Amino acid sequence: MVRDGYIYGLSLMAVAVALAWFAGSWAWGIAPVLLAAFFLWFFRDPHRTVPGGEGLIVSPGDGLVTETAAINTPQGPRQRISIFLSVFDVHVNRSPIGGKLSRVRYQKGQYLNAMNPASAERNEQNVVTVSGEGFEVTFKQIAGLLARRIVFDHAEGETLKRGQRVGLIKFGSRVDVVIPAEAALRVKVGERVKGGSSVLAAMPETVGAFVEPASKITTSSRVFPDQDGEDSL
């Protein structure tokens, strides 16, 4: 359970007791109790088994894979995997690989629907780059229509483990993962993934180290370049 769940849950339980006390009827406390139960459920933080093996890239969050795309960046060609987190998904975020936290950049922005491709560049977001195992992965915590707070609990220079908890995005949101162009994808659009345990891709040297059905390997589907033809990280 994330700490916020206890804060919201216990506060609403106190409101329920106060309303029932002053109104003289427990019926007045039903709505706050239901809200408390929702927040306790929403901020759940289930245990995840992190897969072993070098070169594996795991999902930083739970949700639905909505896009896989080949993109151009200032650092060269990359692949981007977009994951939509609905209000019903676990919203704890995890590191996709183990390594050094080389860059953290917070960007203010709008609150477009997280399903809108434009949200990847225009919405409030936290951009995190982890370097390790001979390559680097960047992931974005992107706020959505309802998500108005991004939490990230680490600083540049720290060392992270694959699948380690790093923060959360409150309510509906989106996570984009930018991986090396040569990585072999292990997911496709329409699949559901779990943070810290679902393998999104594997580097070429370790493709055989993690076996998944061949049907899960897919190619890029859509590209959304910015005005100068490159996608910024």
Side-chain angles (χ1 to χ4, degrees):
M1 173 71 66
V2 178
R3 182 185 61 180
D4 298 64
Y6 293 112
I7 295 174
Y8 286 113
L10 293 177
S11 297
L12 285 165
M13 290 297 292
V15 170
V17 172
L19 285 174
W21 175 268
F22 288 109
S25 172
W26 283 106
W28 287 89
I30 293 177
V33 167
L34 291 176
L35 281 174
F38 168 76
F39 282 115
L40 289 172
W41 169 80
F42 177 83
F43 286 105
R44 64 198 184 281
D45 184 13
H47 171 75
R48 295 289 163 77
T49 299
V50 181
E54 294 183 359
L56 300 182
I57 303 169
V58 301
S59 177
D62 289 36
L64 179 71
V65 177
T66 58
E67 178 193 27
T68 61
I71 62 174
N72 292 316
T73 75
Q75 290 75 34
R78 296 288 189 272
Q79 299 181 81
R80 182 179 66 204
I81 303 170
S82 298
I83 302 167
F84 174 71
L85 291 69
S86 76
V87 71
F88 301 107
D89 288 309
V90 174
H91 277 58
V92 174
N93 298 142
R94 297 169 179 265
S95 178
I97 64 172
K100 182 179 179 180
L101 187 53
S102 57
R103 184 175 63 170
V104 179
R105 176 171 59 85
Y106 172 76
Q107 173 182 311
K108 293 184 178 180
Q110 301 178 4
Y111 297 98
L112 301 176
N113 189 318
M115 290 291 287
N116 185 339
S119 67
E121 301 300 331
R122 294 165 58 184
N123 277 21
E124 176 185 353
Q125 57 193 262
N126 192 52
V127 185
V128 181
T129 299
V130 183
S131 302
E133 301 183 36
F135 62 98
E136 69 175 26
V137 171
T138 295
F139 66 97
K140 299 181 180 182
Q141 299 172 287
I142 303 173
L145 186 63
L146 296 178
R148 297 299 172 110
R149 186 184 176 195
I150 296 173
V151 178
F152 190 74
D153 299 323
H154 299 272
E156 292 183 2
E158 293 186 25
T159 299
L160 302 175
K161 296 180 180 179
R162 180 192 301 158
Q164 180 178 341
R165 297 173 180 85
V166 294
L168 76 155
I169 317 171
K170 295 186 178 180
F171 307 106
S173 50
R174 167 176 171 161
V175 175
D176 278 3
V177 190
V178 179
I179 64 176
E182 64 271 24
L185 295 182
R186 297 298 189 183
V187 293
K188 60 184 178 181
V189 172
E191 289 188 12
R192 297 198 64 83
V193 293
K194 293 184 177 180
S197 61
S198 296
V199 175
L200 299 181
M203 295 301 289
E205 295 82 359
T206 57
V207 168
F210 185 85
V211 180
E212 283 282 351
S215 62
K216 286 194 173 184
I217 302 177
T218 184
T219 58
S220 61
S221 56
R222 299 170 66 190
V223 181
F224 298 97
D226 58 19
Q227 293 181 352
D228 60 6
E230 294 185 333
D231 282 74
S232 61
L233 295 183

